[in-house]
Amino acid sequence: MPASSRCRRPALSRWLSTTIALPLLAVALSAHADVLVDNVIGLTPDGKGGLERFTGLLIDDQGNISAVYHDKEKRPKKVAYKVDGKGRYVVPGMIDAHVHIMDTGFAKMTLDLSGARSLEEALVQVRAYVQAHPDRSWIEGNGWNQANWGLDRMPTAAELDRVTGGKPAYLSRVDGHAAWVNSAALAAAGVTDSTADPAGGRIERAAGSRRPAGVLVDAAQDLVAAKVPQPRPSDRDTAFGEAQLEFLKQGVTALADMGTTIQDWQAYRRAGDAGNLRVRIVSYARGTDDMALIGGSGPGGWLYGDRLKIQGVKLYLDGALGSRGAWLKAPYADAPETSGLPRMNETQLGNLMSRAAIDNFQVAVHAIGDKANETVLDTIDQLSQTYKGDRRWRIEHAQVVAPADVVRFGQHGIVASMQPQHEASDRTMAEARLGPARLAGAYAWKSIAATGAPLAFGSDTPVEPPAPFVGLAVAISRQGADGQPVGGWQPQEKLTLGQALAAYTSGAAYAMFAEDRLGRLARGMKADFLFVDRDVATATPEALRQTKVVETWINGQQAWSAARGVAKPLTSGKAR
């Protein structure tokens, strides 16, 4: 998501309490003793490309797995604690390889338009929100998608003016790459007919004129976003609490935060210092300036008992398909006057990637269009001549790749960080934007994996819900929740359950340089696991979508239970 949408939110005073005391064994585990989790039906990637079944885990006092047991294998006679799984199903904690933590939290604290199915429905929701929040100086929200409204155009400021009562409004599109604003917001920012489109951005204009129509694409969002009130530190703490609770509910135990600001990092540190940091966060800074502020001269080690680290930097090369900001080699099929909006040229990209690589920060580049992906691949080719070793260059999204460029993902250890749910949500829009000739390289998971490139799956939340079991269902079916299209969209790109599960666990761990401790349930790994309500290995795509997380365990301690909520913190909040 663009920088403009990641740091400007209204001041909100409410606080979500995510600490609920649990009179459970989990509380006792802080006494530091071996724990046997037994009588389970376990499933984990085996580290060799396959899946392994197991029936028990022995966890040491550091939260590491010291033994994995299979049928009829002897268990230790004496352990301090024993958890009877009662034949329930266990899988590794899911790792979301691409999230926006603070945006996910703030999305829960502002107007959510993701459920609107028409322009009029969205306007009704905006009007209701304005009436319910008379104290707000700005109206903020997110989640709108004109493609779901049956519109062949973007919404306008005039339409938004009808329901906002003269207050400025800033509403982010579902992908974060466009903002719908009203006349008051444009006036507050001084955006007029004479305002030029900024580099890497576009001001949508009224037909036949230069009058701003009410939608700002990519870098143009900054023109108005700069005027939106900044959140207070307490608001950021609330947003983090909201997001973390959602991750725990969904069974996400570790995640890659794409675009961490120094303010975000400070919020994570405050949570860690207070003992409220439960999930594991690997941060990729929002650009090289924040990278230097957070990481200094290079990536740091793990803090708070392997809960937080800075690993790299996130860069944006283009926008999104929905707002026609994705950079394509040829014009859009449904808008031949444009080929997208590159945020920088190849030289600028190379300079920024080099700046990060020289200090051994991992580089992750947002690239959606085929021209953007080609440009990142070209730049990696060039930089790999200078920067040797295990770099694990990451391309985020890789949604549209020219068939000739697919094979290049297998070179230089490039990680393909992709989001299955995008395919199900965007397929009809992608068909309209691309036309049939370019669909072969769209969301090409299997083809990219066949080159030897590691797959790391995620959600891009809040663009999509952080729902890994929904993502698994999409990855193996190429279908939406309605079961369409029959047989799957571009079905040659379907993955096996084993491939998809690995992309959400061991592959995602590898993508963030954490495969030595996360992503599998094996000896020496962290005891991050889930109790779920079904056998995901044999479930149909429809059944996978319905998977419920019963308990989330992190570091051998229960962090969340569907029956009781979030566990009370068990460790001190000191950075270590």
Side-chain angles (χ1 to χ4, degrees):
M1 301 184 75
S4 59
S5 68
R6 287 191 46 74
C7 59
R8 299 175 176 95
R9 293 289 187 262
L12 300 173
S13 59
R14 68 187 180 87
W15 170 252
L16 173 71
S17 175
T18 59
T19 301
I20 303 174
L22 290 180
L24 293 176
L25 167 64
V27 176
L29 298 188
S30 59
H32 299 296
D34 286 348
V35 175
L36 177 64
V37 179
D38 207 2
N39 189 22
V40 301
I41 303 172
L43 182 73
T44 181
D46 62 7
K48 302 175 184 177
L51 296 174
E52 176 187 347
R53 292 283 194 179
F54 62 90
T55 57
L57 298 172
L58 186 65
I59 305 168
D60 68 19
D61 61 4
Q62 298 300 309
N64 301 314
I65 298 171
S66 54
V68 177
Y69 299 109
H70 305 86
D71 283 340
K72 300 180 180 179
E73 289 184 341
K74 290 184 179 181
R75 272 57 167 172
K77 293 182 179 180
K78 292 184 179 182
V79 294
Y81 303 100
K82 182 176 179 179
V83 178
D84 184 356
K86 299 181 179 179
R88 293 184 296 170
Y89 298 101
V90 169
V91 295
M94 298 292 112
I95 302 177
D96 195 315
H98 186 118
V99 308
H100 304 284
I101 295 175
M102 295 308 252
D103 280 342
T104 298
F106 280 123
K108 292 180 174 295
M109 298 160 63
T110 54
L111 172 61
D112 180 6
L113 294 173
S114 60
R117 289 296 174 262
S118 69
L119 174 61
E120 286 307 315
E121 186 175 335
L123 292 173
V124 167
Q125 292 181 17
V126 174
R127 186 193 299 276
Y129 187 86
V130 172
Q131 294 173 348
H133 298 87
D135 58 323
R136 301 285 167 80
S137 60
W138 277 71
I139 306 304
E140 288 195 85
N142 62 89
W144 62 270
N145 186 352
Q146 85 288 352
N148 292 339
W149 298 346
L151 288 183
D152 59 0
R153 62 172 177 83
M154 291 290 194
T156 67
E159 290 162 335
L160 197 51
D161 290 345
R162 303 201 315 253
V163 296
T164 46
K167 289 185 177 181
Y170 183 96
L171 306 175
S172 294
R173 192 179 183 278
V174 63
D175 55 18
H177 286 273
W180 181 16
V181 298
N182 63 0
S183 298
L186 291 168
V191 178
T192 67
D193 301 30
S194 61
T195 304
D197 288 349
R202 181 176 68 246
I203 301 170
E204 294 287 327
R205 312 280 179 173
S209 75
R210 285 190 52 79
R211 178 169 56 84
V215 167
L216 309 171
V217 180
D218 286 318
Q221 296 175 99
D222 295 341
L223 299 172
V224 171
K227 300 298 182 180
V228 180
Q230 289 276 353
R232 300 168 302 184
S234 61
D235 300 328
R236 293 183 182 277
D237 295 341
T238 302
F240 176 70
E242 295 267 13
Q244 179 170 243
L245 178 59
E246 184 63 19
F247 295 134
L248 293 172
K249 287 180 178 179
Q250 297 285 358
V252 176
T253 57
L255 39 90
D257 187 39
M258 286 292 159
T260 308
T261 66
I262 184 62
Q263 293 88 353
D264 298 339
W265 180 259
Q266 290 169 334
Y268 307 153
R269 292 298 304 263
R270 287 194 296 272
D273 289 343
N276 291 327
L277 183 57
R278 295 171 177 81
V279 296
R280 304 187 193 277
I281 301 172
V282 176
S283 286
Y284 291 79
R286 188 198 65 178
T288 54
D289 289 344
D290 280 288
M291 176 192 79
L293 286 171
I294 296 169
S297 59
W302 287 95
L303 303 172
Y304 309 108
D306 294 353
R307 303 292 174 125
L308 178 66
K309 70 177 297 192
I310 175 69
Q311 180 61 48
V313 64
K314 165 75 178 299
L315 304 173
Y316 284 92
L317 184 54
D318 67 345
L321 280 176
S323 51
R324 298 189 183 88
W327 190 17
L328 302 179
K329 293 186 176 185
Y332 278 79
D334 59 354
E337 70 278 6
T338 183
S339 298
L341 290 169
R343 304 291 292 269
M344 64 186 83
N345 61 39
E346 186 171 352
T347 299
Q348 293 168 322
L349 175 66
N351 288 340
L352 290 174
M353 292 177 68
S354 181
R355 166 66 186 88
I358 200 169
D359 282 337
N360 294 309
F361 287 101
Q362 187 184 13
V363 177
V365 184
H366 167 116
I368 288 182
D370 52 9
K371 181 61 176 177
N373 278 280
E374 178 189 57
T375 301
V376 181
L377 291 166
D378 288 346
T379 305
I380 291 173
D381 279 345
Q382 297 168 10
L383 294 180
S384 293
Q385 299 176 29
T386 301
Y387 300 105
K388 306 296 184 180
D390 188 6
R391 294 287 170 171
R392 300 187 198 180
W393 313 97
R394 295 178 55 139
I395 298 183
E396 305 301 313
H397 308 303
Q399 283 182 224
V400 184
V401 181
D405 287 329
V406 168
V407 67
R408 301 174 67 190
F409 275 79
Q411 304 168 1
H412 310 305
I414 297 171
V415 174
S417 173
M418 306 175 79
Q419 300 77 42
Q421 290 157 274
H422 285 339
E423 180 272 319
S425 298
D426 296 350
R427 64 178 178 83
T428 56
M429 178 268 292
E431 289 172 348
R433 297 288 189 269
L434 300 173
R438 285 178 283 191
L439 295 180
Y443 314 90
W445 314 317
K446 186 174 182 179
S447 293
I448 290 177
T451 71
L455 290 184
F457 279 171
S459 64
D460 199 15
T461 179
V463 179
E464 301 282 356
F469 294 99
V470 173
L472 285 171
V474 175
I476 67 173
S477 70
R478 306 277 290 192
Q479 294 173 319
D482 58 358
Q484 295 298 317
V486 175
W489 188 78
Q490 300 290 320
Q492 72 277 5
E493 296 296 344
K494 292 180 185 177
L495 298 176
T496 66
L497 188 280
Q499 290 173 314
L501 182 61
Y504 275 109
T505 54
S506 56
Y510 177 86
M512 57 177 67
F513 283 87
E515 75 278 10
D516 62 333
R517 65 197 68 198
L518 305 178
R520 295 188 297 122
L521 297 176
R523 184 175 180 179
M525 308 294 280
K526 289 295 182 182
D528 296 357
F529 59 90
L530 314 174
F531 284 100
V532 295
D533 68 346
R534 67 199 65 201
D535 186 353
V536 299
T538 60
T540 64
E542 181 181 4
L544 265 178
R545 282 182 173 272
Q546 303 305 317
T547 300
K548 303 297 183 186
V549 177
V550 180
E551 295 175 9
T552 300
W553 288 61
I554 300 177
N555 219 49
Q557 299 173 347
Q558 189 186 91
W560 180 85
S561 163
R564 297 176 179 86
V566 181
K568 185 177 180 180
L570 305 180
T571 58
S572 69
K574 295 180 180 179
R576 62 183 187 277

